[in-house]
Amino acid sequence: MKKKWIWKAMAGFFLLLVLATCVSTSVYHAKLPVVTVMTGMQSTIEHHKTTSGELYTEGETLFVRYRILPDEADRFLTPDLGKVSVKVVQSDANGNETVATETLDAGRYQSVYEDESDMLLVSAELTPPVGRPILDKSAVVTLSDGIYVPYLNVVPAYCIQEDAEGTFVWTLMERENLFGVEQYVLRTSVTVEAENDYYAAFSYMPGTQVVAATTLPLRSGDVVVVS
């Protein structure tokens, strides 16, 4: 009888221990950052060149002018392969105005060589935004050459981050602890090989898992929960 009581007490103790461990683990995980990860994929990115431009008008027609090097003419002279980003003022239903960036398509163009700058001055016609005044004369011209180059690690551009120490990604790692295997993140410095508005290729081991989103700010070595 006494032995049965001892076995029941031990069983109850271990049951309470398991329950306490489960509860403490759940509470621990609830305080951890929850991250979404993406695996670097093999893909292609189109080559492009970004340069500053200046907006001007001739009559009712809107133009942008920008400069490129003469040896870039064969690749980037045709502006219909690129986009022009301008700042516009937009109003909501209540009449509140905000500044937004809008992308315009370039049309007909002409170019002339400038002796003083040793560059080609290109002027391209734009279709102006309807009902949204342009804020100023500045513009960002992104020219593509239609050539797609393969890369080993391509991720959405927002996965690449930059601070005072340089360009980096948060990489997902694993290690063993008392409860099994836990996942954590490391700040990994990378070099961006190519990028566009949507994707970026970076130099690192192929198939690397990188953080795309997190519920809390991250520090190198932080344990995380993968959603």
Side-chain angles (χ1 to χ4, degrees):
M1 190 74 176
K2 190 174 181 180
K3 288 184 178 180
K4 289 183 179 180
W5 181 86
I6 293 176
W7 281 111
K8 287 182 180 180
M10 292 180 63
F13 171 76
F14 282 112
L15 179 60
L16 288 174
L17 183 62
V18 170
L19 289 174
T21 301
C22 292
V23 170
S24 62
T25 302
S26 299
V27 172
Y28 172 67
H29 283 169
K31 296 180 179 180
L32 297 178
V34 179
V35 300
T36 302
V37 299
M38 302 197 70
T39 302
M41 58 184 176
Q42 296 186 36
S43 186
T44 58
I45 292 182
E46 186 180 18
H47 273 180
H48 75 275
K49 171 186 175 68
T50 301
T51 186
S52 60
E54 182 185 13
L55 302 175
Y56 69 98
T57 56
E58 289 185 0
E60 299 293 325
T61 307
L62 178 66
F63 292 88
V64 62
R65 55 182 162 224
Y66 57 94
R67 291 172 174 82
I68 59 174
L69 295 170
D71 59 5
E72 296 175 325
D74 292 339
R75 295 176 57 194
F76 298 116
L77 186 57
T78 306
D80 58 2
L81 290 176
K83 303 292 181 181
V84 180
S85 298
V86 300
K87 295 177 181 178
V88 298
V89 179
Q90 60 183 17
S91 301
D92 59 20
N94 298 321
N96 299 317
E97 294 185 342
T98 57
V99 177
T101 300
E102 185 160 335
T103 301
L104 308 179
D105 293 320
R108 294 179 300 173
Y109 72 95
Q110 61 181 8
S111 63
V112 60
Y113 176 74
E114 291 184 320
D115 290 324
E116 60 273 16
S117 64
D118 191 27
M119 299 185 77
L120 287 176
L121 176 64
V122 183
S123 297
E125 186 177 334
L126 301 175
T127 301
V130 178
R132 294 176 298 281
I134 295 177
L135 183 64
D136 54 36
K137 295 182 178 181
S138 63
V140 176
V141 183
T142 303
L143 301 169
S144 303
D145 61 8
I147 299 175
Y148 288 82
V149 178
Y151 294 96
L152 295 178
N153 264 325
V154 178
V155 295
Y158 54 77
C159 295
I160 309 293
Q161 301 189 41
E162 190 171 352
D163 60 16
E165 298 180 16
T167 304
F168 68 96
V169 294
W170 293 110
T171 54
L172 185 68
M173 311 294 289
E174 289 186 350
R175 61 191 174 200
E176 293 187 357
N177 63 11
L178 293 176
F179 302 104
V181 177
E182 67 179 8
Q183 295 173 305
Y184 66 101
V185 293
L186 285 180
R187 185 189 191 280
T188 304
S189 298
V190 297
T191 299
V192 176
E193 299 176 309
E195 62 182 327
N196 56 29
D197 291 339
Y198 307 102
Y199 296 98
F202 64 96
S203 57
Y204 202 65
M205 292 181 294
T208 299
Q209 288 187 301
V210 301
V211 173
T214 176
T215 58
L216 295 171
L218 298 175
R219 296 176 300 178
S220 195
D222 279 353
V223 178
V224 297
V225 176
V226 179
S227 63

